[in-house]
Amino acid sequence: MTTPPGPNPYQGGPNPYQTNPPTAPTPAQQPHQQPPPGWPGYPPYYVAAQRTNGLAVASMVLGILWLYWIGSILALIFGYVARNQIRERGEAGGGMATAGLVLGWVGAGTLAAVMFFAFFLNMRY
């Protein structure tokens, strides 16, 4: 393969967009090979991302879906189990487990209210 005629743009040269002549870099502008003393360097390892607890996700999803109150009961069960696992294992997902618990209790409360009113209205007539 042949190179195109003319100056090679990768070898440097005058910058047509520069209005001032190039000057030598000052000591503050020169690149450093190592960080200054006392500065921490980059760690030689990567930190693994924290895993999200699967039961916490299931608890939140079932709390949102309700599924004729079966989802609410399962959201409560999965939410409490997930919170214990998160505490023991140090996993992520505590907020999702809490959201599943709140939604599960809202669904269970709604179920209790519906059952109470259904029983109360049935006794009245």
Side-chain angles (χ1 to χ4, degrees):
M1 181 168 223
T2 61
T3 58
N8 187 348
Y10 300 110
Q11 290 180 347
N15 186 349
Y17 302 108
Q18 188 175 7
T19 56
N20 298 334
T23 59
T26 62
Q29 294 173 339
Q30 291 179 354
H32 294 285
Q33 296 298 328
Q34 294 179 347
W39 284 38
Y42 292 108
Y45 55 88
Y46 292 101
V47 177
Q50 201 173 19
R51 290 181 40 136
T52 303
N53 189 292
L55 288 176
V57 175
S59 173
M60 187 179 71
V61 168
L62 287 171
I64 291 170
L65 293 181
W66 258 1
L67 300 173
Y68 297 104
W69 293 291
I70 295 171
S72 299
I73 304 302
L74 290 175
L76 288 172
I77 294 169
F78 291 165
Y80 283 115
V81 172
R83 284 182 55 182
N84 287 335
Q85 288 180 355
I86 289 168
R87 193 175 305 120
E88 291 172 0
R89 300 177 188 171
E91 294 176 323
M96 287 187 275
T98 303
L101 286 172
V102 169
L103 293 170
W105 278 115
V106 167
T110 305
L111 173 62
V114 167
M115 290 177 69
F116 174 77
F117 284 117
F119 181 74
F120 179 72
L121 291 177
N122 192 18
M123 292 290 289
R124 194 163 186 208
Y125 293 110

